[in-house]
Coordinates of all heavy atoms in Angstrom, one line a residue:
M1 N 34.8 44.5 178.9 CA 33.7 43.5 178.9 C 33.5 43.0 177.5 O 33.5 43.7 176.6 CB 32.5 44.2 179.5 CG 31.4 43.3 179.7 SD 29.9 44.0 180.4 CE 30.4 44.1 182.1
R2 N 33.3 41.7 177.4 CA 33.0 41.1 176.1 C 31.7 41.6 175.6 O 30.7 41.8 176.3 CB 33.0 39.6 176.3 CG 34.4 39.0 176.7 CD 34.5 37.5 176.6 NE 33.2 36.8 176.5 CZ 32.9 35.7 177.1 NH1 33.8 35.2 177.9 NH2 31.8 35.1 176.9
P3 N 31.6 41.7 174.2 CA 30.4 42.2 173.6 C 29.2 41.3 173.9 O 28.1 41.8 174.0 CB 30.7 42.2 172.1 CG 32.2 42.3 172.0 CD 32.7 41.6 173.3
S4 N 29.4 40.0 174.1 CA 28.3 39.1 174.4 C 27.7 39.3 175.7 O 26.5 39.1 176.0 CB 28.8 37.6 174.2 OG 29.7 37.4 175.2
R5 N 28.5 39.9 176.6 CA 27.9 40.3 178.0 C 27.4 41.7 178.0 O 26.6 42.0 178.9 CB 29.0 40.1 179.0 CG 29.4 38.6 179.2 CD 30.3 38.5 180.4 NE 30.6 37.1 180.5 CZ 31.4 36.6 181.4 NH1 32.0 37.4 182.3 NH2 31.6 35.3 181.5
L6 N 27.8 42.5 177.1 CA 27.4 43.9 177.1 C 26.0 44.1 176.6 O 25.2 44.9 177.1 CB 28.4 44.7 176.2 CG 28.1 46.2 176.2 CD1 28.2 46.8 177.6 CD2 29.2 46.9 175.3
L7 N 25.6 43.3 175.6 CA 24.3 43.4 175.0 C 23.1 43.2 176.0 O 22.2 44.0 176.1 CB 24.1 42.4 173.8 CG 22.8 42.5 173.1 CD1 22.6 43.9 172.5 CD2 22.8 41.5 172.0
P8 N 23.2 42.2 176.8 CA 22.1 42.0 177.8 C 22.0 43.2 178.8 O 20.9 43.6 179.2 CB 22.4 40.7 178.6 CG 23.3 39.9 177.6 CD 24.0 41.0 176.9
L9 N 23.2 43.8 179.2 CA 23.2 44.9 180.0 C 22.5 46.1 179.3 O 21.8 46.9 179.9 CB 24.6 45.3 180.5 CG 25.2 44.3 181.5 CD1 26.6 44.6 181.8 CD2 24.4 44.2 182.8
L10 N 22.8 46.3 178.1 CA 22.3 47.4 177.3 C 20.8 47.3 177.2 O 20.0 48.2 177.3 CB 22.9 47.5 175.9 CG 24.3 48.0 175.9 CD1 24.9 47.9 174.5 CD2 24.4 49.4 176.4
L11 N 20.3 46.0 176.9 CA 18.9 45.8 176.8 C 18.2 46.0 178.2 O 17.1 46.6 178.2 CB 18.6 44.3 176.4 CG 19.0 44.1 174.9 CD1 18.8 42.6 174.6 CD2 18.1 44.9 174.0
L12 N 18.8 45.6 179.3 CA 18.2 45.8 180.6 C 18.1 47.3 180.9 O 17.1 47.8 181.4 CB 19.1 45.1 181.7 CG 18.6 45.2 183.1 CD1 17.2 44.6 183.2 CD2 19.5 44.5 184.0
G13 N 19.1 48.1 180.5 CA 19.1 49.5 180.7 C 18.0 50.2 179.9 O 17.3 51.1 180.3
A14 N 17.8 49.7 178.6 CA 16.7 50.3 177.8 C 15.4 49.9 178.4 O 14.5 50.8 178.4 CB 16.8 49.7 176.4
I15 N 15.2 48.7 178.9 CA 13.9 48.4 179.5 C 13.6 49.2 180.7 O 12.5 49.7 180.9 CB 13.8 46.9 179.8 CG1 13.8 46.1 178.5 CG2 12.7 46.5 180.7 CD1 14.0 44.6 178.7
A16 N 14.6 49.4 181.6 CA 14.5 50.2 182.8 C 14.2 51.6 182.4 O 13.3 52.2 183.1 CB 15.7 50.1 183.6
T17 N 14.8 52.1 181.4 CA 14.6 53.5 181.0 C 13.1 53.7 180.5 O 12.4 54.6 180.8 CB 15.6 54.0 179.9 OG1 16.9 53.8 180.5 CG2 15.3 55.4 179.5
A18 N 12.6 52.7 179.7 CA 11.3 52.8 179.2 C 10.3 52.7 180.4 O 9.3 53.5 180.3 CB 11.0 51.6 178.3
R19 N 10.5 52.0 181.4 CA 9.6 51.9 182.5 C 9.6 53.1 183.4 O 8.6 53.4 184.1 CB 9.9 50.7 183.4 CG 9.6 49.3 182.7 CD 9.8 48.2 183.7 NE 8.8 48.4 184.8 CZ 7.7 47.7 185.0 NH1 7.4 46.8 184.1 NH2 6.9 48.0 186.0
L20 N 10.6 53.9 183.3 CA 10.7 55.1 184.1 C 10.1 56.3 183.3 O 10.1 57.4 183.9 CB 12.2 55.5 184.4 CG 12.8 54.5 185.4 CD1 14.3 54.8 185.6 CD2 12.1 54.4 186.7
A21 N 9.6 56.1 182.1 CA 9.0 57.2 181.4 C 7.8 57.8 182.2 O 7.1 57.1 182.8 CB 8.5 56.7 180.0
H22 N 7.7 59.1 182.1 CA 6.7 59.8 182.9 C 5.4 59.7 182.2 O 5.3 59.7 180.9 CB 7.1 61.2 183.1 CG 8.3 61.3 184.0 ND1 8.2 61.1 185.4 CD2 9.6 61.6 183.8 CE1 9.4 61.3 185.9 NE2 10.2 61.6 185.0
A23 N 4.3 59.7 182.9 CA 3.0 59.8 182.4 C 2.7 61.2 181.9 O 3.3 62.2 182.3 CB 2.0 59.4 183.5
D24 N 1.7 61.3 181.0 CA 1.3 62.6 180.5 C 0.5 63.3 181.6 O 0.5 64.6 181.7 CB 0.5 62.5 179.3 CG 1.3 61.9 178.1 OD1 2.5 62.4 178.0 OD2 0.8 61.1 177.4
A25 N -0.2 62.6 182.5 CA -1.0 63.1 183.6 C -1.0 62.1 184.7 O -1.0 60.9 184.5 CB -2.4 63.5 183.1
V26 N -1.0 62.6 185.9 CA -1.1 61.8 187.1 C -2.3 62.3 187.9 O -2.5 63.4 188.2 CB 0.2 61.9 188.0 CG1 0.0 61.0 189.2 CG2 1.4 61.5 187.2
V27 N -3.2 61.3 188.2 CA -4.4 61.6 189.1 C -4.0 61.3 190.5 O -3.6 60.2 190.8 CB -5.6 60.7 188.7 CG1 -6.7 60.9 189.6 CG2 -6.0 61.0 187.2
G28 N -4.1 62.3 191.4 CA -3.8 62.1 192.8 C -2.4 62.6 193.2 O -1.5 62.8 192.3
T29 N -2.2 62.8 194.5 CA -1.0 63.3 195.0 C -0.5 62.4 196.1 O 0.3 62.8 196.9 CB -1.1 64.7 195.6 OG1 -2.2 64.7 196.5 CG2 -1.5 65.7 194.5
G30 N -0.9 61.1 196.1 CA -0.4 60.2 197.1 C -1.4 59.7 198.1 O -1.1 58.8 198.9
S31 N -2.6 60.2 198.2 CA -3.6 59.8 199.1 C -4.9 59.4 198.4 O -5.2 60.0 197.3 CB -3.9 60.9 200.2 OG -4.6 61.9 199.6
P32 N -5.7 58.6 199.0 CA -7.0 58.3 198.3 C -7.9 59.5 198.2 O -8.6 59.6 197.2 CB -7.6 57.3 199.3 CG -6.5 56.6 200.0 CD -5.5 57.7 200.1
A33 N -7.8 60.4 199.1 CA -8.7 61.6 199.1 C -8.3 62.5 197.9 O -9.1 63.3 197.4 CB -8.6 62.4 200.4
S34 N -7.1 62.4 197.4 CA -6.6 63.3 196.3 C -7.1 62.7 194.9 O -6.9 63.4 193.9 CB -5.1 63.4 196.3 OG -4.5 62.2 196.0
C35 N -7.6 61.5 194.9 CA -8.0 60.8 193.7 C -9.5 61.0 193.5 O -10.3 60.2 193.9 CB -7.6 59.3 193.7 SG -5.8 59.1 193.6
T36 N -9.8 62.1 192.8 CA -11.2 62.6 192.7 C -11.7 62.5 191.3 O -10.8 62.4 190.3 CB -11.4 64.0 193.2 OG1 -10.6 64.9 192.4 CG2 -10.9 64.1 194.7
E37 N -13.0 62.6 191.1 CA -13.5 62.7 189.8 C -13.0 63.9 189.0 O -12.7 63.9 187.8 CB -15.0 62.7 189.8 CG -15.7 62.7 188.4 CD -17.2 62.6 188.5 OE1 -17.8 62.8 189.6 OE2 -17.8 62.2 187.5
A38 N -12.9 65.0 189.7 CA -12.3 66.3 189.1 C -10.9 66.1 188.7 O -10.5 66.6 187.6 CB -12.4 67.4 190.1
A39 N -10.1 65.4 189.4 CA -8.7 65.1 189.0 C -8.7 64.2 187.8 O -7.8 64.4 186.9 CB -7.9 64.5 190.2
L40 N -9.5 63.2 187.7 CA -9.6 62.4 186.5 C -10.1 63.2 185.3 O -9.5 63.1 184.3 CB -10.6 61.2 186.8 CG -10.8 60.3 185.6 CD1 -9.5 59.6 185.2 CD2 -11.8 59.2 185.9
D41 N -11.1 64.1 185.5 CA -11.5 64.9 184.4 C -10.4 65.8 183.9 O -10.2 65.9 182.6 CB -12.6 65.9 184.9 CG -14.0 65.1 185.1 OD1 -14.1 64.0 184.6 OD2 -14.8 65.7 185.9
A42 N -9.6 66.4 184.7 CA -8.5 67.2 184.3 C -7.4 66.4 183.5 O -6.9 66.8 182.5 CB -7.8 67.9 185.5
A43 N -7.2 65.1 184.0 CA -6.2 64.3 183.3 C -6.7 63.9 182.0 O -5.9 63.8 181.0 CB -5.9 63.1 184.2
L44 N -8.0 63.6 181.8 CA -8.5 63.2 180.6 C -8.5 64.2 179.5 O -8.5 63.9 178.3 CB -10.0 62.7 180.7 CG -10.1 61.3 181.4 CD1 -11.5 61.0 181.8 CD2 -9.5 60.2 180.5
L45 N -8.5 65.5 179.9 CA -8.5 66.6 178.9 C -7.3 66.5 177.9 O -7.5 66.8 176.8 CB -8.5 67.9 179.6 CG -9.8 68.4 180.3 CD1 -9.6 69.7 181.0 CD2 -10.9 68.5 179.2
G46 N -6.1 66.2 178.5 CA -4.9 66.1 177.6 C -4.7 64.9 176.9 O -3.9 64.8 176.0
G47 N -5.4 63.8 177.3 CA -5.1 62.5 176.6 C -3.8 62.0 177.0 O -3.2 62.4 177.9
G48 N -3.3 61.0 176.3 CA -2.0 60.4 176.5 C -2.1 59.4 177.6 O -3.2 58.8 177.9
K49 N -1.0 59.1 178.3 CA -0.9 58.1 179.4 C -1.3 58.8 180.7 O -0.7 59.8 181.1 CB 0.5 57.5 179.5 CG 0.6 56.4 180.5 CD 1.9 55.8 180.6 CE 1.9 54.7 181.6 NZ 3.2 54.1 181.8
I50 N -2.2 58.1 181.4 CA -2.7 58.6 182.7 C -2.4 57.5 183.7 O -2.7 56.4 183.5 CB -4.2 58.9 182.7 CG1 -4.6 60.0 181.7 CG2 -4.7 59.3 184.1 CD1 -6.0 60.2 181.4
T51 N -1.7 58.0 184.8 CA -1.4 57.0 185.9 C -2.1 57.6 187.1 O -2.6 58.7 187.1 CB 0.1 56.9 186.1 OG1 0.7 58.2 186.4 CG2 0.8 56.2 184.9
F52 N -2.0 56.8 188.2 CA -2.7 57.2 189.4 C -1.8 57.1 190.6 O -1.0 56.2 190.7 CB -3.9 56.2 189.7 CG -5.0 56.4 188.6 CD1 -4.8 55.7 187.4 CD2 -6.1 57.2 188.8 CE1 -5.8 55.8 186.4 CE2 -7.1 57.3 187.8 CZ -6.9 56.6 186.6
N53 N -1.8 58.1 191.5 CA -1.0 58.1 192.7 C -2.0 58.3 193.9 O -2.1 59.4 194.4 CB 0.0 59.3 192.6 CG 0.9 59.3 193.8 OD1 1.0 58.4 194.6 ND2 1.7 60.4 194.0
C54 N -2.6 57.2 194.3 CA -3.7 57.3 195.3 C -3.3 56.6 196.6 O -4.1 56.2 197.4 CB -4.9 56.6 194.7 SG -5.5 57.4 193.2
G55 N -2.0 56.4 196.7 CA -1.5 55.7 198.0 C -1.3 54.2 197.7 O -1.5 53.7 196.6
P56 N -0.9 53.5 198.7 CA -0.5 52.1 198.5 C -1.7 51.1 198.4 O -1.5 50.0 197.9 CB 0.4 51.8 199.7 CG -0.2 52.7 200.8 CD -0.6 53.9 200.0
A57 N -2.8 51.4 198.8 CA -4.0 50.5 198.8 C -4.9 50.8 197.6 O -4.7 51.8 196.9 CB -4.8 50.7 200.1
D58 N -5.8 49.8 197.4 CA -6.8 50.0 196.3 C -7.6 51.3 196.6 O -7.8 51.7 197.8 CB -7.8 48.8 196.3 CG -7.1 47.5 195.9 OD1 -5.9 47.6 195.5 OD2 -7.8 46.5 195.9
A59 N -8.0 52.0 195.5 CA -8.8 53.2 195.7 C -9.9 53.2 194.6 O -9.8 52.7 193.5 CB -7.9 54.4 195.5
T60 N -11.1 53.7 195.0 CA -12.2 53.8 194.1 C -12.5 55.3 193.9 O -12.6 56.1 194.8 CB -13.5 53.2 194.8 OG1 -13.2 51.8 195.0 CG2 -14.7 53.3 193.8
I61 N -12.7 55.6 192.6 CA -13.1 56.9 192.2 C -14.5 56.8 191.7 O -14.8 56.2 190.7 CB -12.2 57.5 191.1 CG1 -10.7 57.6 191.6 CG2 -12.7 58.9 190.6 CD1 -9.7 58.0 190.6
G62 N -15.4 57.4 192.4 CA -16.8 57.4 192.0 C -17.1 58.4 190.9 O -16.6 59.6 191.0
L63 N -17.8 58.0 189.9 CA -18.2 58.9 188.8 C -19.6 59.2 188.8 O -20.5 58.4 189.0 CB -17.8 58.2 187.5 CG -16.3 57.6 187.4 CD1 -16.1 56.9 186.1 CD2 -15.3 58.8 187.6
T64 N -19.9 60.5 188.6 CA -21.3 61.0 188.6 C -21.8 61.2 187.2 O -23.0 61.4 187.0 CB -21.5 62.3 189.4 OG1 -20.6 63.3 188.8 CG2 -21.1 62.1 190.8
A65 N -20.9 61.2 186.2 CA -21.3 61.3 184.8 C -20.3 60.6 183.9 O -19.1 60.4 184.3 CB -21.2 62.8 184.4
P66 N -20.7 60.1 182.8 CA -19.8 59.4 181.9 C -18.6 60.3 181.5 O -18.8 61.5 181.3 CB -20.6 58.9 180.7 CG -22.0 59.1 181.1 CD -22.0 60.1 182.2
K67 N -17.4 59.7 181.3 CA -16.3 60.4 180.8 C -16.2 60.2 179.3 O -16.1 59.0 178.9 CB -15.0 60.0 181.5 CG -15.1 60.0 183.0 CD -15.4 61.4 183.5 CE -16.0 61.4 184.9 NZ -16.7 62.7 185.2
T68 N -16.2 61.2 178.5 CA -16.1 61.1 177.1 C -14.6 61.1 176.7 O -13.8 62.0 177.0 CB -16.8 62.3 176.4 OG1 -18.2 62.3 176.8 CG2 -16.7 62.1 174.9
I69 N -14.2 60.0 176.0 CA -12.9 59.8 175.5 C -12.9 60.3 174.1 O -13.6 59.6 173.2 CB -12.4 58.4 175.6 CG1 -12.6 57.8 177.0 CG2 -11.0 58.2 175.1 CD1 -11.7 58.5 178.1
S70 N -12.2 61.4 173.8 CA -12.2 61.9 172.4 C -10.8 62.0 171.8 O -10.6 62.6 170.7 CB -12.9 63.3 172.4 OG -12.2 64.1 173.2
T71 N -9.8 61.4 172.5 CA -8.5 61.4 172.0 C -7.8 60.1 172.5 O -8.4 59.4 173.3 CB -7.7 62.7 172.5 OG1 -6.4 62.7 171.9 CG2 -7.5 62.7 174.0
T72 N -6.6 59.8 172.1 CA -6.0 58.6 172.5 C -5.6 58.7 174.0 O -5.0 59.7 174.4 CB -4.7 58.4 171.7 OG1 -5.1 58.3 170.3 CG2 -4.0 57.1 172.1
V73 N -6.1 57.7 174.7 CA -5.8 57.7 176.2 C -5.4 56.3 176.6 O -6.0 55.3 176.1 CB -7.1 58.1 177.0 CG1 -7.0 57.8 178.4 CG2 -7.5 59.5 176.7
A74 N -4.5 56.2 177.5 CA -4.1 54.9 178.1 C -4.0 55.1 179.6 O -3.3 56.1 180.0 CB -2.7 54.4 177.6
M75 N -4.8 54.4 180.3 CA -4.8 54.5 181.8 C -4.1 53.3 182.4 O -4.4 52.2 182.1 CB -6.2 54.7 182.3 CG -6.9 56.0 182.0 SD -8.4 56.2 182.8 CE -9.5 56.1 181.5
D76 N -3.3 53.6 183.4 CA -2.6 52.5 184.1 C -2.8 52.7 185.7 O -2.2 53.6 186.3 CB -1.1 52.5 183.8 CG -0.4 51.4 184.5 OD1 -1.0 50.6 185.2 OD2 0.8 51.3 184.3
G77 N -3.7 52.0 186.2 CA -4.0 52.0 187.6 C -3.3 50.9 188.4 O -3.5 50.7 189.6
E78 N -2.4 50.2 187.7 CA -1.7 49.0 188.3 C -2.6 48.0 189.0 O -2.2 47.5 190.0 CB -0.6 49.6 189.2 CG 0.5 50.4 188.5 CD 1.6 50.9 189.4 OE1 1.5 50.8 190.6 OE2 2.6 51.3 188.8
G79 N -3.8 47.9 188.5 CA -4.7 46.9 189.1 C -5.3 47.3 190.5 O -5.9 46.5 191.2
R80 N -5.0 48.6 190.9 CA -5.5 49.0 192.2 C -6.5 50.1 192.2 O -7.0 50.6 193.2 CB -4.3 49.5 193.0 CG -3.3 48.4 193.3 CD -2.2 48.9 194.2 NE -1.9 50.3 193.9 CZ -0.8 50.9 193.9 NH1 0.3 50.2 194.2 NH2 -0.7 52.2 193.7
I81 N -6.9 50.6 191.0 CA -7.8 51.7 190.9 C -9.1 51.2 190.3 O -9.2 50.5 189.3 CB -7.3 52.8 190.0 CG1 -5.9 53.3 190.5 CG2 -8.2 54.0 189.9 CD1 -5.9 53.8 192.0
I82 N -10.2 51.6 191.0 CA -11.6 51.2 190.5 C -12.3 52.5 190.1 O -12.4 53.4 190.9 CB -12.4 50.5 191.6 CG1 -11.7 49.2 192.0 CG2 -13.8 50.2 191.1 CD1 -12.2 48.6 193.3
L83 N -12.7 52.6 188.8 CA -13.5 53.7 188.4 C -15.0 53.2 188.4 O -15.3 52.3 187.6 CB -13.1 54.1 187.0 CG -11.6 54.6 186.9 CD1 -11.2 54.9 185.4 CD2 -11.3 55.7 187.8
S84 N -15.8 53.7 189.2 CA -17.1 53.2 189.4 C -18.2 54.2 189.0 O -18.2 55.4 189.5 CB -17.3 52.9 190.9 OG -18.7 52.5 191.2
G85 N -19.1 53.8 188.2 CA -20.3 54.6 187.9 C -21.3 54.4 188.9 O -22.4 55.0 188.8
Q86 N -21.0 53.7 190.0 CA -21.9 53.6 191.2 C -23.3 53.1 190.8 O -24.3 53.5 191.4 CB -22.0 54.9 191.9 CG -20.6 55.5 192.3 CD -20.6 56.8 192.9 OE1 -20.9 56.9 194.1 NE2 -20.4 57.8 192.1
N87 N -23.4 52.2 189.9 CA -24.6 51.6 189.4 C -25.6 52.6 188.9 O -26.8 52.4 188.8 CB -25.3 50.7 190.5 CG -24.4 49.5 190.9 OD1 -23.8 48.9 190.0 ND2 -24.4 49.2 192.1
A88 N -25.1 53.8 188.5 CA -26.0 54.8 188.0 C -25.6 55.3 186.6 O -26.4 55.7 185.8 CB -25.9 56.0 188.9
V89 N -24.3 55.3 186.3 CA -23.8 55.8 185.0 C -22.8 54.9 184.4 O -22.1 54.2 185.2 CB -23.2 57.2 185.1 CG1 -24.2 58.3 185.5 CG2 -22.0 57.2 185.9
L90 N -22.7 54.8 183.1 CA -21.6 54.1 182.4 C -20.3 55.0 182.6 O -20.4 56.2 182.5 CB -21.9 53.9 180.9 CG -23.0 53.0 180.6 CD1 -23.3 53.0 179.1 CD2 -22.7 51.6 181.0
P91 N -19.2 54.3 182.9 CA -18.0 55.1 183.2 C -17.5 55.9 182.0 O -17.0 57.0 182.2 CB -17.0 54.1 183.6 CG -17.8 53.0 184.2 CD -19.0 52.9 183.3
F92 N -17.6 55.3 180.8 CA -17.0 56.0 179.6 C -17.9 55.9 178.4 O -18.7 55.0 178.2 CB -15.7 55.3 179.3 CG -14.7 55.4 180.3 CD1 -14.4 54.3 181.1 CD2 -13.9 56.6 180.5 CE1 -13.4 54.4 182.1 CE2 -13.0 56.6 181.5 CZ -12.7 55.6 182.3
T93 N -17.8 57.0 177.6 CA -18.3 56.9 176.2 C -17.1 57.3 175.4 O -16.2 58.1 175.8 CB -19.4 58.0 176.0 OG1 -18.9 59.3 176.2 CG2 -20.6 57.7 176.8
V94 N -17.0 56.6 174.2 CA -15.8 56.8 173.3 C -16.3 57.5 172.1 O -17.1 56.9 171.3 CB -15.1 55.5 173.1 CG1 -13.9 55.7 172.2 CG2 -14.7 54.9 174.4
A95 N -15.8 58.6 171.8 CA -16.1 59.3 170.6 C -15.3 58.7 169.4 O -14.2 58.2 169.6 CB -15.8 60.8 170.7
T96 N -15.8 58.8 168.2 CA -15.1 58.3 167.1 C -13.9 59.2 166.8 O -14.0 60.4 166.7 CB -16.0 58.2 165.8 OG1 -17.1 57.5 166.1 CG2 -15.3 57.6 164.6
L97 N -12.7 58.5 166.7 CA -11.5 59.3 166.5 C -11.2 59.4 165.0 O -11.5 58.7 164.2 CB -10.3 58.6 167.2 CG -10.5 58.5 168.7 CD1 -9.3 57.8 169.3 CD2 -10.6 59.9 169.4

């Protein structure tokens, strides 16, 4: 294969590999019922990248207390996860890092 055709394939492979990187924590086990405030609390303890496995539809996780962020955290709900303070609490407080 010519080098000019090999480079795009290598780049595509690198991008695909990066997208397959595992999260540091996953909230849920595939159903909306498994995506709980307690599961979110456990995921937040370790920091890092947090993803959600709450099934194929949108899911709401109701929060009863603010979640304190005290380490670097990135959450990816793919636009389908709602973290709701239920009009009673702010979802997050961020500690100075």
Side-chain angles (χ1 to χ4, degrees):
M1 185 176 282
R2 293 189 347 218
S4 62
R5 290 188 181 179
L6 184 58
L7 183 58
L9 290 176
L10 289 174
L11 290 174
L12 181 60
I15 291 168
T17 301
R19 291 190 58 107
L20 293 176
H22 294 285
D24 296 317
V26 179
V27 174
T29 58
S31 70
S34 67
C35 290
T36 64
E37 183 174 19
L40 177 61
D41 289 341
L44 286 170
L45 286 177
K49 183 177 180 183
I50 299 171
T51 59
F52 297 82
N53 183 11
C54 303
D58 293 354
T60 298
I61 300 174
L63 307 177
T64 60
K67 306 302 158 199
T68 300
I69 307 296
S70 58
T71 187
T72 302
V73 172
M75 286 189 249
D76 183 2
E78 297 182 347
R80 297 185 326 217
I81 304 301
I82 300 164
L83 301 176
S84 173
Q86 306 174 82
N87 295 322
V89 299
L90 293 173
F92 298 101
T93 59
V94 179
T96 304
L97 300 177

